[in-house]
Amino acid sequence: ISQLAGLLGYMFVRPGATVALYVGADYTNVDLTPSDPSNNVRGSEVGLRVGGDIRMNGPQHYFTAEGYYSTGFNAYWSRVRAGVNLGRVIVGPEGVAMGNDGFDAQRLGGFAIFKLDFLGTKNPGDLTINAGYQFNKDDGTGFSTSGGEGAYIGFGIGFSF
């Protein structure tokens, strides 16, 4: 699977909160090996993509809601996180919903965001670790194209500039 997206948007910034809206296009190519003619998601599609996010970060709280929808394969992804800001680390639960014409999956778990301070910079980086359980909606045969139901774990790193 390969994907490329280009979006333009606008971000509203207020003390402790940001809201952003985006619109653009994306390209997705799904080349299955071996070929699966019964899969609804195969080949290439270009779609209109819209997305947005809300972020609130205070001295004691943290909240994000973000997501996108694309007309290409009717793909969507969304995540909500609510946490407690402990200073150098933020911890809390997360929920994710994602899918396209070929699958639907939901995730419930938790996350931890660690502040990384590189040489005393004003904008430190973040290391995020998240883990939980993925639930799949199948077609009644017990088969899902989104991978297996079960535990997941993820890692991310980000820098502000």
Side-chain angles (χ1 to χ4, degrees):
I1 297 175
S2 56
Q3 185 177 29
L4 177 67
L7 294 94
L8 293 174
Y10 190 80
M11 181 180 288
F12 304 91
V13 179
R14 299 288 179 256
T18 61
V19 175
L21 301 171
Y22 310 96
V23 65
D26 74 354
Y27 166 80
T28 303
N29 180 51
V30 179
D31 184 14
L32 302 172
T33 303
S35 180
D36 181 2
S38 66
N39 191 325
N40 294 333
V41 180
R42 63 181 186 279
S44 299
E45 281 197 17
V46 174
L48 171 69
R49 184 168 172 163
V50 295
D53 59 72
I54 299 170
R55 299 179 184 277
M56 292 184 280
N57 195 3
Q60 297 174 339
H61 69 276
Y62 175 86
F63 175 81
T64 62
E66 54 194 315
Y68 75 84
Y69 170 77
S70 173
T71 59
F73 296 118
N74 291 307
Y76 68 93
W77 178 90
S78 61
R79 177 176 63 203
V80 174
R81 287 180 169 166
V84 177
N85 189 342
L86 302 173
R88 306 273 314 148
V89 65
I90 299 168
V91 295
E94 73 173 5
V96 177
M98 60 184 159
N100 59 29
D101 286 336
F103 84 97
D104 288 293
Q106 298 78 41
R107 292 180 171 182
L108 290 175
F111 72 96
I113 301 172
F114 300 91
K115 297 294 181 186
L116 305 175
D117 189 5
F118 295 105
L119 304 173
T121 62
K122 290 184 180 181
N123 295 316
D126 294 333
L127 170 65
T128 302
I129 301 171
N130 62 321
Y133 193 85
Q134 176 170 294
F135 304 88
N136 290 338
K137 179 181 175 188
D138 62 39
D139 60 5
T141 65
F143 177 75
S144 171
T145 58
S146 63
E149 195 166 284
Y152 72 89
I153 188 167
F155 303 91
I157 192 162
F159 298 96
S160 297
F161 55 92

